[in-house]
Amino acid sequence: MDTTTRVNRRAVLAGTAMAAASAGLGFPAPAAAQEADELARKLMGPFKARDGKVRLKMRDVAASGANEPITVTVDSPMTAADHVKAIHVLAEGNPYPVVSSWYLTPRSGRAEVSFRMRLAKTQTVRAYAVTSDGEVWIARQEVTVTIGGCGG
């Protein structure tokens, strides 16, 4: 390979990177709390969330945001008359705040989900539970992320 080809390829790569950066094609910017609020309303309609019933279990400090374990538990008898219909998890600082939605029935047995999620930066994670009577419950937790898991 001659040096002329190398210089040209580098110039093309550098030019492409600069064009992508100037066009805003890099990584999406993290969402704000207001954007997370709007997305929560799109998921659940108009609601007033109350604290209680939902327990969010995750570490306060995540060494890496690439693979953080989380468990959401909702205090519910899970009967036909009184059960959790949905659990939604949102991360305010992620480029795409809606992390997951779980839809449950009384046959689910218990209102608990466990999974792993990515966190872009230090932020607040929210867990919502929508019950069969239409009430919305929420739990929040601030998580310090030392290395972001969304490419940042």
Side-chain angles (χ1 to χ4, degrees):
M1 178 183 297
D2 66 28
T3 56
T4 307
T5 304
R6 233 187 243 158
V7 171
N8 287 338
R9 185 174 8 164
R10 286 183 182 169
V12 169
L13 288 173
T16 302
M18 288 178 59
S22 66
L25 299 176
F27 292 104
Q34 290 178 332
E35 185 180 352
D37 288 340
E38 291 172 19
L39 290 168
R41 279 191 292 277
K42 283 184 180 177
L43 283 171
M44 297 175 275
F47 66 91
K48 182 171 179 152
R50 297 180 6 197
D51 290 321
K53 289 196 175 188
V54 180
R55 195 172 54 241
L56 185 58
K57 183 180 174 188
M58 58 188 312
R59 292 182 281 212
D60 292 333
V61 178
S64 169
N67 198 8
E68 190 59 28
I70 176 174
T71 298
V72 179
T73 306
V74 185
D75 182 22
S76 171
M78 293 304 283
T79 62
D82 184 8
H83 62 277
V84 175
K85 292 174 35 180
I87 296 173
H88 304 284
V89 177
L90 281 75
E92 293 178 0
N94 276 4
Y96 307 105
V98 178
V99 175
S100 66
S101 292
W102 306 80
Y103 297 94
L104 309 173
T105 69
R107 298 184 86 184
S108 300
R110 62 182 176 178
E112 180 177 313
V113 295
S114 295
F115 61 100
R116 293 180 177 266
M117 62 187 282
R118 288 184 177 193
L119 296 169
K121 63 179 187 176
T122 297
Q123 60 184 289
T124 300
V125 175
R126 306 176 191 179
Y128 293 95
V130 181
T131 59
S132 56
D133 60 2
E135 291 187 338
V136 177
W137 298 87
I138 188 171
R140 298 178 184 91
Q141 182 172 334
E142 178 78 20
V143 179
T144 301
V145 178
T146 55
I147 299 173
C150 295

